[in-house]
Amino acid sequence: MKMTVQRDNPETREFWARVERDELSVGHCNGCGEVHYYPRAICPFCFSDDTALKAVSGRGEVLSYSIISRGEPYVLALVTLEEGVSMLTNIVTDDPGAVFCGMKVAVTFQDGADGAKAPMFVPSAN
Amino acid sequence: MNIRGKAYIAGAFEHPTRNAVDISLGQIHADVARGALADAGIDKKDVDGYFCAGDSPGLGPLSMAEYLGLNPRHIDTTDTGGSAYLLAVGHAARAIADGKCNVALITLGGRPKASGRLSVGVPASNAPEVEFEVPYKPMLAAMYAMVARRHMHEFGTTSEQLAWVKVAASHHAQHNPHAVLRDVVTVDDVVSSPMVADPLHRLDCCVVSDGGGALVLVNPEIAKSLSRPKIAVRGAGEALGHANGGKVRLTSSAAVHSGAAAFEEAGVRPSDIDYASIYDSFTISVVLALEDLGFCEKGKGGAFVADGNLISGVGKLPFNTDGGGLCNNHPGNRGGMTKIIEAVRQLRGEAHPAVQVADCSLALAHGTGGTLGSRHGCGTVVLERE
């Protein structure tokens, strides 16, 4: 799949700037206290505009995954962060067959399909 | 307002083509509109409501209304992907009950094969989620595969159980001369077919085909004047699901709500249903829908579909007796329309004799459009022969 994504979105520019510095963030709402992903200017839960990016640990576990073997194999996954939100991502591994639901993973920052750096995950010991 | 007894499906038509190399997209819409009106015995000039969705070329209904020569006084272009036509039936029935129109036409057309544009689910570049998804190559089958994988993890569902959905569809498709795939397959055939997106194999996926379909809904007075069997829209429900700000639920769908609404309006239960059309984009789509609609307990869908339980004349819940999207037809990558059409055939007693459900009086049609486990829209209708 060849697609380019324009990352000149004023709403998410700071998220991607942090990714360039190897930092993962989620949206946090000061109105209701909930975190959300992907990050938005207006909280999708309470509609407060008192939102900000919140740096997260980058640790989580695999909610689910699929191995796509057509061409160079890759692992599409949903990872649930310790902070409670799930994000679409890739698991970066030489052994896709070892991925499982509930597997502990940690964030890594690598070039995505559009050629820009994106948060992905690798298997982790803890 | 309850729609029971206030709107009837009078005409239904499925385009026979599966590869529209010599037919334009507009022409498919015209072919199926003409076919459904002829089936109903209604003149085009009597159409005063027009319903179409994202497959319709041009801006909303404008190009197709001009091309078809329609002058509707009521229009609706709700789009939820392949389930849109289920929603359209509910919307048309309510519009008729409300007096907004008397004869509603719904059309679908698509030619992904002939046009060479086979891929689906390419996101609009300005959609807010795109920058958080495209970097990860989220092919559509893999999104459904993640639902299947999680279902296996939580409930012990197996690939062999999912395969039974395809096996049942193939048993039905062998009797459909228009079906893309007419060979009966076995569980082993399915699980040994190439992996597309683990754990979904090629035979867990629906076909890609050109074609289309149309429906005509009318008010009770017109229905009474026609010679066709009266197929009442007894209940309809719709709902959508999405990632919910990151609080993702993979193993249930919006069918929980669309189904409950349709059953409540119809005043019936799943156990009353004689025949079910369930949008089968992938085998897992059917398993999840059957659970969410209440045909079985959550987590028991795999066991429910196994051992031929969906095969007409064999199991308890005959489904997709035209062969469904898995074997027959998936026009324009949108499988909702053909689900309704086969339900109408069953209720009229016009399904193929080998798959016709005896004394079929109550049917359900259900669709999941968009992406299961992500943004999706469900529509459910309960139809009754009067």
Side-chain angles (χ1 to χ4, degrees), chain B residues 200-221:
Chain B
L200 297 181
H201 310 78
R202 180 181 290 165
L203 296 189
D204 285 297
C205 308
C206 64
V207 301
V208 176
S209 58
D210 299 344
L215 296 163
V216 176
L217 278 78
V218 300
N219 71 19
E221 293 71 36

mmCIF file with all atom_site columns, all heavy atoms in Angstrom, chain B residues 200-221:
data_model
loop_
_atom_site.group_PDB
_atom_site.id
_atom_site.type_symbol
_atom_site.label_atom_id
_atom_site.label_alt_id
_atom_site.label_comp_id
_atom_site.label_asym_id
_atom_site.label_entity_id
_atom_site.label_seq_id
_atom_site.pdbx_PDB_ins_code
_atom_site.Cartn_x
_atom_site.Cartn_y
_atom_site.Cartn_z
_atom_site.occupancy
_atom_site.B_iso_or_equiv
_atom_site.pdbx_formal_charge
_atom_site.auth_seq_id
_atom_site.auth_comp_id
_atom_site.auth_asym_id
_atom_site.auth_atom_id
_atom_site.pdbx_PDB_model_num
ATOM 1   N N   . LEU B 1 200 ? -7.314  -15.119 8.729   1.00 0.00 ? 200 LEU B N   1
ATOM 2   C CA  . LEU B 1 200 ? -8.285  -15.244 7.633   1.00 0.00 ? 200 LEU B CA  1
ATOM 3   C C   . LEU B 1 200 ? -7.601  -15.717 6.352   1.00 0.00 ? 200 LEU B C   1
ATOM 4   O O   . LEU B 1 200 ? -6.626  -15.102 5.891   1.00 0.00 ? 200 LEU B O   1
ATOM 5   C CB  . LEU B 1 200 ? -9.002  -13.917 7.398   1.00 0.00 ? 200 LEU B CB  1
ATOM 6   C CG  . LEU B 1 200 ? -9.856  -13.404 8.561   1.00 0.00 ? 200 LEU B CG  1
ATOM 7   C CD1 . LEU B 1 200 ? -10.532 -12.082 8.195   1.00 0.00 ? 200 LEU B CD1 1
ATOM 8   C CD2 . LEU B 1 200 ? -10.898 -14.437 8.986   1.00 0.00 ? 200 LEU B CD2 1
ATOM 9   N N   . HIS B 1 201 ? -8.154  -16.799 5.784   1.00 0.00 ? 201 HIS B N   1
ATOM 10  C CA  . HIS B 1 201 ? -7.654  -17.363 4.541   1.00 0.00 ? 201 HIS B CA  1
ATOM 11  C C   . HIS B 1 201 ? -8.397  -16.748 3.361   1.00 0.00 ? 201 HIS B C   1
ATOM 12  O O   . HIS B 1 201 ? -9.405  -16.067 3.538   1.00 0.00 ? 201 HIS B O   1
ATOM 13  C CB  . HIS B 1 201 ? -7.863  -18.886 4.526   1.00 0.00 ? 201 HIS B CB  1
ATOM 14  C CG  . HIS B 1 201 ? -7.381  -19.581 5.750   1.00 0.00 ? 201 HIS B CG  1
ATOM 15  N ND1 . HIS B 1 201 ? -8.100  -19.583 6.933   1.00 0.00 ? 201 HIS B ND1 1
ATOM 16  C CD2 . HIS B 1 201 ? -6.249  -20.290 5.992   1.00 0.00 ? 201 HIS B CD2 1
ATOM 17  C CE1 . HIS B 1 201 ? -7.429  -20.267 7.851   1.00 0.00 ? 201 HIS B CE1 1
ATOM 18  N NE2 . HIS B 1 201 ? -6.301  -20.708 7.311   1.00 0.00 ? 201 HIS B NE2 1
ATOM 19  N N   . ARG B 1 202 ? -7.916  -17.074 2.179   1.00 0.00 ? 202 ARG B N   1
ATOM 20  C CA  . ARG B 1 202 ? -8.579  -16.540 0.984   1.00 0.00 ? 202 ARG B CA  1
ATOM 21  C C   . ARG B 1 202 ? -10.061 -16.899 0.968   1.00 0.00 ? 202 ARG B C   1
ATOM 22  O O   . ARG B 1 202 ? -10.910 -16.084 0.632   1.00 0.00 ? 202 ARG B O   1
ATOM 23  C CB  . ARG B 1 202 ? -7.904  -17.071 -0.285  1.00 0.00 ? 202 ARG B CB  1
ATOM 24  C CG  . ARG B 1 202 ? -8.562  -16.539 -1.558  1.00 0.00 ? 202 ARG B CG  1
ATOM 25  C CD  . ARG B 1 202 ? -7.898  -17.095 -2.805  1.00 0.00 ? 202 ARG B CD  1
ATOM 26  N NE  . ARG B 1 202 ? -6.572  -16.536 -2.983  1.00 0.00 ? 202 ARG B NE  1
ATOM 27  C CZ  . ARG B 1 202 ? -5.647  -17.038 -3.811  1.00 0.00 ? 202 ARG B CZ  1
ATOM 28  N NH1 . ARG B 1 202 ? -5.922  -18.118 -4.510  1.00 0.00 ? 202 ARG B NH1 1
ATOM 29  N NH2 . ARG B 1 202 ? -4.467  -16.463 -3.921  1.00 0.00 ? 202 ARG B NH2 1
ATOM 30  N N   . LEU B 1 203 ? -10.380 -18.135 1.365   1.00 0.00 ? 203 LEU B N   1
ATOM 31  C CA  . LEU B 1 203 ? -11.784 -18.557 1.296   1.00 0.00 ? 203 LEU B CA  1
ATOM 32  C C   . LEU B 1 203 ? -12.609 -18.054 2.489   1.00 0.00 ? 203 LEU B C   1
ATOM 33  O O   . LEU B 1 203 ? -13.801 -18.314 2.565   1.00 0.00 ? 203 LEU B O   1
ATOM 34  C CB  . LEU B 1 203 ? -11.894 -20.079 1.165   1.00 0.00 ? 203 LEU B CB  1
ATOM 35  C CG  . LEU B 1 203 ? -11.310 -20.681 -0.123  1.00 0.00 ? 203 LEU B CG  1
ATOM 36  C CD1 . LEU B 1 203 ? -11.675 -22.163 -0.242  1.00 0.00 ? 203 LEU B CD1 1
ATOM 37  C CD2 . LEU B 1 203 ? -11.729 -19.926 -1.367  1.00 0.00 ? 203 LEU B CD2 1
ATOM 38  N N   . ASP B 1 204 ? -11.977 -17.340 3.416   1.00 0.00 ? 204 ASP B N   1
ATOM 39  C CA  . ASP B 1 204 ? -12.735 -16.628 4.451   1.00 0.00 ? 204 ASP B CA  1
ATOM 40  C C   . ASP B 1 204 ? -13.214 -15.267 3.945   1.00 0.00 ? 204 ASP B C   1
ATOM 41  O O   . ASP B 1 204 ? -13.952 -14.575 4.662   1.00 0.00 ? 204 ASP B O   1
ATOM 42  C CB  . ASP B 1 204 ? -11.860 -16.378 5.693   1.00 0.00 ? 204 ASP B CB  1
ATOM 43  C CG  . ASP B 1 204 ? -11.642 -17.628 6.534   1.00 0.00 ? 204 ASP B CG  1
ATOM 44  O OD1 . ASP B 1 204 ? -12.638 -18.157 7.056   1.00 0.00 ? 204 ASP B OD1 1
ATOM 45  O OD2 . ASP B 1 204 ? -10.479 -18.062 6.658   1.00 0.00 ? 204 ASP B OD2 1
ATOM 46  N N   . CYS B 1 205 ? -12.756 -14.877 2.759   1.00 0.00 ? 205 CYS B N   1
ATOM 47  C CA  . CYS B 1 205 ? -13.043 -13.535 2.225   1.00 0.00 ? 205 CYS B CA  1
ATOM 48  C C   . CYS B 1 205 ? -14.096 -13.609 1.124   1.00 0.00 ? 205 CYS B C   1
ATOM 49  O O   . CYS B 1 205 ? -14.142 -14.565 0.350   1.00 0.00 ? 205 CYS B O   1
ATOM 50  C CB  . CYS B 1 205 ? -11.787 -12.915 1.617   1.00 0.00 ? 205 CYS B CB  1
ATOM 51  S SG  . CYS B 1 205 ? -10.351 -12.911 2.707   1.00 0.00 ? 205 CYS B SG  1
ATOM 52  N N   . CYS B 1 206 ? -14.902 -12.567 1.025   1.00 0.00 ? 206 CYS B N   1
ATOM 53  C CA  . CYS B 1 206 ? -15.915 -12.521 -0.023  1.00 0.00 ? 206 CYS B CA  1
ATOM 54  C C   . CYS B 1 206 ? -15.263 -12.300 -1.381  1.00 0.00 ? 206 CYS B C   1
ATOM 55  O O   . CYS B 1 206 ? -14.091 -11.960 -1.479  1.00 0.00 ? 206 CYS B O   1
ATOM 56  C CB  . CYS B 1 206 ? -16.933 -11.422 0.263   1.00 0.00 ? 206 CYS B CB  1
ATOM 57  S SG  . CYS B 1 206 ? -16.209 -9.781  0.250   1.00 0.00 ? 206 CYS B SG  1
ATOM 58  N N   . VAL B 1 207 ? -16.051 -12.501 -2.430  1.00 0.00 ? 207 VAL B N   1
ATOM 59  C CA  . VAL B 1 207 ? -15.567 -12.311 -3.788  1.00 0.00 ? 207 VAL B CA  1
ATOM 60  C C   . VAL B 1 207 ? -15.520 -10.815 -4.119  1.00 0.00 ? 207 VAL B C   1
ATOM 61  O O   . VAL B 1 207 ? -16.126 -10.001 -3.428  1.00 0.00 ? 207 VAL B O   1
ATOM 62  C CB  . VAL B 1 207 ? -16.475 -13.043 -4.813  1.00 0.00 ? 207 VAL B CB  1
ATOM 63  C CG1 . VAL B 1 207 ? -16.529 -14.524 -4.504  1.00 0.00 ? 207 VAL B CG1 1
ATOM 64  C CG2 . VAL B 1 207 ? -17.877 -12.435 -4.840  1.00 0.00 ? 207 VAL B CG2 1
ATOM 65  N N   . VAL B 1 208 ? -14.780 -10.482 -5.160  1.00 0.00 ? 208 VAL B N   1
ATOM 66  C CA  . VAL B 1 208 ? -14.859 -9.146  -5.743  1.00 0.00 ? 208 VAL B CA  1
ATOM 67  C C   . VAL B 1 208 ? -15.667 -9.283  -7.025  1.00 0.00 ? 208 VAL B C   1
ATOM 68  O O   . VAL B 1 208 ? -15.342 -10.109 -7.873  1.00 0.00 ? 208 VAL B O   1
ATOM 69  C CB  . VAL B 1 208 ? -13.463 -8.575  -6.056  1.00 0.00 ? 208 VAL B CB  1
ATOM 70  C CG1 . VAL B 1 208 ? -13.580 -7.229  -6.764  1.00 0.00 ? 208 VAL B CG1 1
ATOM 71  C CG2 . VAL B 1 208 ? -12.644 -8.435  -4.776  1.00 0.00 ? 208 VAL B CG2 1
ATOM 72  N N   . SER B 1 209 ? -16.754 -8.513  -7.134  1.00 0.00 ? 209 SER B N   1
ATOM 73  C CA  . SER B 1 209 ? -17.574 -8.645  -8.331  1.00 0.00 ? 209 SER B CA  1
ATOM 74  C C   . SER B 1 209 ? -18.236 -7.328  -8.692  1.00 0.00 ? 209 SER B C   1
ATOM 75  O O   . SER B 1 209 ? -18.417 -6.455  -7.857  1.00 0.00 ? 209 SER B O   1
ATOM 76  C CB  . SER B 1 209 ? -18.642 -9.737  -8.151  1.00 0.00 ? 209 SER B CB  1
ATOM 77  O OG  . SER B 1 209 ? -19.465 -9.465  -7.042  1.00 0.00 ? 209 SER B OG  1
ATOM 78  N N   . ASP B 1 210 ? -18.582 -7.218  -9.967  1.00 0.00 ? 210 ASP B N   1
ATOM 79  C CA  . ASP B 1 210 ? -19.349 -6.086  -10.463 1.00 0.00 ? 210 ASP B CA  1
ATOM 80  C C   . ASP B 1 210 ? -20.834 -6.438  -10.370 1.00 0.00 ? 210 ASP B C   1
ATOM 81  O O   . ASP B 1 210 ? -21.204 -7.595  -10.196 1.00 0.00 ? 210 ASP B O   1
ATOM 82  C CB  . ASP B 1 210 ? -18.998 -5.799  -11.926 1.00 0.00 ? 210 ASP B CB  1
ATOM 83  C CG  . ASP B 1 210 ? -17.524 -5.456  -12.113 1.00 0.00 ? 210 ASP B CG  1
ATOM 84  O OD1 . ASP B 1 210 ? -16.858 -5.139  -11.106 1.00 0.00 ? 210 ASP B OD1 1
ATOM 85  O OD2 . ASP B 1 210 ? -17.064 -5.505  -13.268 1.00 0.00 ? 210 ASP B OD2 1
ATOM 86  N N   . GLY B 1 211 ? -21.652 -5.426  -10.540 1.00 0.00 ? 211 GLY B N   1
ATOM 87  C CA  . GLY B 1 211 ? -23.085 -5.680  -10.556 1.00 0.00 ? 211 GLY B CA  1
ATOM 88  C C   . GLY B 1 211 ? -23.825 -4.652  -9.741  1.00 0.00 ? 211 GLY B C   1
ATOM 89  O O   . GLY B 1 211 ? -23.363 -3.521  -9.551  1.00 0.00 ? 211 GLY B O   1
ATOM 90  N N   . GLY B 1 212 ? -24.978 -5.066  -9.252  1.00 0.00 ? 212 GLY B N   1
ATOM 91  C CA  . GLY B 1 212 ? -25.784 -4.131  -8.477  1.00 0.00 ? 212 GLY B CA  1
ATOM 92  C C   . GLY B 1 212 ? -27.137 -4.722  -8.166  1.00 0.00 ? 212 GLY B C   1
ATOM 93  O O   . GLY B 1 212 ? -27.399 -5.905  -8.417  1.00 0.00 ? 212 GLY B O   1
ATOM 94  N N   . GLY B 1 213 ? -27.981 -3.881  -7.599  1.00 0.00 ? 213 GLY B N   1
ATOM 95  C CA  . GLY B 1 213 ? -29.318 -4.325  -7.260  1.00 0.00 ? 213 GLY B CA  1
ATOM 96  C C   . GLY B 1 213 ? -30.186 -3.135  -6.923  1.00 0.00 ? 213 GLY B C   1
ATOM 97  O O   . GLY B 1 213 ? -29.687 -2.034  -6.682  1.00 0.00 ? 213 GLY B O   1
ATOM 98  N N   . ALA B 1 214 ? -31.478 -3.376  -6.927  1.00 0.00 ? 214 ALA B N   1
ATOM 99  C CA  . ALA B 1 214 ? -32.411 -2.293  -6.599  1.00 0.00 ? 214 ALA B CA  1
ATOM 100 C C   . ALA B 1 214 ? -33.631 -2.855  -5.896  1.00 0.00 ? 214 ALA B C   1
ATOM 101 O O   . ALA B 1 214 ? -33.961 -4.044  -6.035  1.00 0.00 ? 214 ALA B O   1
ATOM 102 C CB  . ALA B 1 214 ? -32.834 -1.543  -7.861  1.00 0.00 ? 214 ALA B CB  1
ATOM 103 N N   . LEU B 1 215 ? -34.269 -1.974  -5.145  1.00 0.00 ? 215 LEU B N   1
ATOM 104 C CA  . LEU B 1 215 ? -35.502 -2.310  -4.436  1.00 0.00 ? 215 LEU B CA  1
ATOM 105 C C   . LEU B 1 215 ? -36.519 -1.208  -4.664  1.00 0.00 ? 215 LEU B C   1
ATOM 106 O O   . LEU B 1 215 ? -36.152 -0.039  -4.820  1.00 0.00 ? 215 LEU B O   1
ATOM 107 C CB  . LEU B 1 215 ? -35.241 -2.425  -2.933  1.00 0.00 ? 215 LEU B CB  1
ATOM 108 C CG  . LEU B 1 215 ? -34.301 -3.542  -2.473  1.00 0.00 ? 215 LEU B CG  1
ATOM 109 C CD1 . LEU B 1 215 ? -33.819 -3.275  -1.052  1.00 0.00 ? 215 LEU B CD1 1
ATOM 110 C CD2 . LEU B 1 215 ? -35.004 -4.894  -2.567  1.00 0.00 ? 215 LEU B CD2 1
ATOM 111 N N   . VAL B 1 216 ? -37.789 -1.589  -4.666  1.00 0.00 ? 216 VAL B N   1
ATOM 112 C CA  . VAL B 1 216 ? -38.878 -0.616  -4.712  1.00 0.00 ? 216 VAL B CA  1
ATOM 113 C C   . VAL B 1 216 ? -39.767 -0.850  -3.499  1.00 0.00 ? 216 VAL B C   1
ATOM 114 O O   . VAL B 1 216 ? -40.236 -1.967  -3.264  1.00 0.00 ? 216 VAL B O   1
ATOM 115 C CB  . VAL B 1 216 ? -39.712 -0.753  -6.009  1.00 0.00 ? 216 VAL B CB  1
ATOM 116 C CG1 . VAL B 1 216 ? -40.882 0.208   -5.981  1.00 0.00 ? 216 VAL B CG1 1
ATOM 117 C CG2 . VAL B 1 216 ? -38.838 -0.506  -7.229  1.00 0.00 ? 216 VAL B CG2 1
ATOM 118 N N   . LEU B 1 217 ? -39.955 0.190   -2.705  1.00 0.00 ? 217 LEU B N   1
ATOM 119 C CA  . LEU B 1 217 ? -40.864 0.132   -1.557  1.00 0.00 ? 217 LEU B CA  1
ATOM 120 C C   . LEU B 1 217 ? -42.080 1.007   -1.834  1.00 0.00 ? 217 LEU B C   1
ATOM 121 O O   . LEU B 1 217 ? -41.950 2.087   -2.437  1.00 0.00 ? 217 LEU B O   1
ATOM 122 C CB  . LEU B 1 217 ? -40.175 0.615   -0.273  1.00 0.00 ? 217 LEU B CB  1
ATOM 123 C CG  . LEU B 1 217 ? -39.311 -0.422  0.454   1.00 0.00 ? 217 LEU B CG  1
ATOM 124 C CD1 . LEU B 1 217 ? -37.976 -0.591  -0.238  1.00 0.00 ? 217 LEU B CD1 1
ATOM 125 C CD2 . LEU B 1 217 ? -39.103 -0.035  1.912   1.00 0.00 ? 217 LEU B CD2 1
ATOM 126 N N   . VAL B 1 218 ? -43.233 0.548   -1.378  1.00 0.00 ? 218 VAL B N   1
ATOM 127 C CA  . VAL B 1 218 ? -44.472 1.288   -1.659  1.00 0.00 ? 218 VAL B CA  1
ATOM 128 C C   . VAL B 1 218 ? -45.359 1.346   -0.416  1.00 0.00 ? 218 VAL B C   1
ATOM 129 O O   . VAL B 1 218 ? -45.155 0.595   0.544   1.00 0.00 ? 218 VAL B O   1
ATOM 130 C CB  . VAL B 1 218 ? -45.274 0.617   -2.809  1.00 0.00 ? 218 VAL B CB  1
ATOM 131 C CG1 . VAL B 1 218 ? -44.449 0.588   -4.095  1.00 0.00 ? 218 VAL B CG1 1
ATOM 132 C CG2 . VAL B 1 218 ? -45.709 -0.789  -2.414  1.00 0.00 ? 218 VAL B CG2 1
ATOM 133 N N   . ASN B 1 219 ? -46.344 2.220   -0.470  1.00 0.00 ? 219 ASN B N   1
ATOM 134 C CA  . ASN B 1 219 ? -47.282 2.328   0.650   1.00 0.00 ? 219 ASN B CA  1
ATOM 135 C C   . ASN B 1 219 ? -48.314 1.194   0.577   1.00 0.00 ? 219 ASN B C   1
ATOM 136 O O   . ASN B 1 219 ? -48.404 0.477   -0.429  1.00 0.00 ? 219 ASN B O   1
ATOM 137 C CB  . ASN B 1 219 ? -47.908 3.727   0.709   1.00 0.00 ? 219 ASN B CB  1
ATOM 138 C CG  . ASN B 1 219 ? -48.889 3.975   -0.429  1.00 0.00 ? 219 ASN B CG  1
ATOM 139 O OD1 . ASN B 1 219 ? -49.381 3.043   -1.069  1.00 0.00 ? 219 ASN B OD1 1
ATOM 140 N ND2 . ASN B 1 219 ? -49.181 5.238   -0.688  1.00 0.00 ? 219 ASN B ND2 1
ATOM 141 N N   . PRO B 1 220 ? -49.088 0.975   1.619   1.00 0.00 ? 220 PRO B N   1
ATOM 142 C CA  . PRO B 1 220 ? -49.999 -0.187  1.665   1.00 0.00 ? 220 PRO B CA  1
ATOM 143 C C   . PRO B 1 220 ? -51.035 -0.188  0.540   1.00 0.00 ? 220 PRO B C   1
ATOM 144 O O   . PRO B 1 220 ? -51.353 -1.270  0.004   1.00 0.00 ? 220 PRO B O   1
ATOM 145 C CB  . PRO B 1 220 ? -50.683 -0.041  3.036   1.00 0.00 ? 220 PRO B CB  1
ATOM 146 C CG  . PRO B 1 220 ? -49.721 0.745   3.859   1.00 0.00 ? 220 PRO B CG  1
ATOM 147 C CD  . PRO B 1 220 ? -49.054 1.695   2.914   1.00 0.00 ? 220 PRO B CD  1
ATOM 148 N N   . GLU B 1 221 ? -51.546 0.974   0.161   1.00 0.00 ? 221 GLU B N   1
ATOM 149 C CA  . GLU B 1 221 ? -52.572 1.021   -0.901  1.00 0.00 ? 221 GLU B CA  1
ATOM 150 C C   . GLU B 1 221 ? -51.996 0.525   -2.217  1.00 0.00 ? 221 GLU B C   1
ATOM 151 O O   . GLU B 1 221 ? -52.624 -0.257  -2.938  1.00 0.00 ? 221 GLU B O   1
ATOM 152 C CB  . GLU B 1 221 ? -53.104 2.454   -1.069  1.00 0.00 ? 221 GLU B CB  1
ATOM 153 C CG  . GLU B 1 221 ? -53.904 2.978   0.112   1.00 0.00 ? 221 GLU B CG  1
ATOM 154 C CD  . GLU B 1 221 ? -53.059 3.264   1.349   1.00 0.00 ? 221 GLU B CD  1
ATOM 155 O OE1 . GLU B 1 221 ? -51.904 3.729   1.194   1.00 0.00 ? 221 GLU B OE1 1
ATOM 156 O OE2 . GLU B 1 221 ? -53.534 2.996   2.471   1.00 0.00 ? 221 GLU B OE2 1
#
